[in-house]
Amino acid sequence: VVASSFPTAFLARELGLSLLGIDQVARLDLYADGADEVTPARDLLKGRGFDLVKEKILARASDRFVVFVDASKLVERLGSRFPIPVEVLPFAVHTVHRHLEALGGRAVVRRNADAVVITAQGNLVLDTVFDPGVEVVALDERLRSLPGVAEHGIFRGLASLVLVAKDGTVTER
């Protein structure tokens, strides 16, 4: 298996699973993970757990990406319940912040109780709220093109299958 985060790798080792690094494989048969939001088109918002770069690499490297959520994660548009996380190189945070504002976003540097949050790649996260009228496809493309952005939380067109749990049953989306 390939773990998407340090906590997942730790748990996999505790369970006796054999681990490989993402740099040791060209592709994955299956990648399974959760999401913060899911649209009817199976577009995802991810990033509450900070590892956007690795998670998107794993999603794109997999033959199948299966997502597990409960019904509370279903939304009509991404960014409905959570800000869109934008992982930024530390030296570019002010420049990217200015670009996000020009795109209509209101961004704040993610913090925990004690300090600024640093991702597994050593980057910062700008949690960004966009107006409801912002079109996700265009936003995805604009965020990818900004210098200093390592990755962002819009996972468009990557999920092969979304399994939704509600009231003791699981449905496919």
Side-chain angles (χ1 to χ4, degrees), residues 97-114:
H97 190 276
R98 192 177 73 247
H99 285 297
L100 293 173
E101 286 180 341
L103 293 174
R106 293 173 305 284
V108 296
V109 175
R110 185 179 294 172
R111 298 175 182 276
N112 63 22
D114 300 324

Side-chain angles (χ1 to χ4, degrees), residues 4-63:
S4 62
S5 67
F6 293 125
T8 304
F10 185 77
L11 179 60
R13 282 190 193 96
E14 280 187 338
L15 295 171
L17 298 173
S18 177
L19 281 171
L20 294 173
I22 186 62
D23 59 327
Q24 295 175 289
V25 296
R27 68 168 201 62
L28 300 168
D29 296 324
L30 174 69
Y31 175 50
D33 204 351
D36 302 311
E37 295 179 350
V38 179
T39 69
R42 293 194 320 249
D43 291 334
L44 313 173
L45 181 67
K46 295 180 56 60
R48 302 307 307 159
F50 319 128
D51 278 326
L52 292 167
V53 171
K54 190 179 249 185
E55 288 182 9
K56 199 164 282 183
I57 289 170
L58 292 172
R60 289 197 183 276
S62 66
D63 292 340

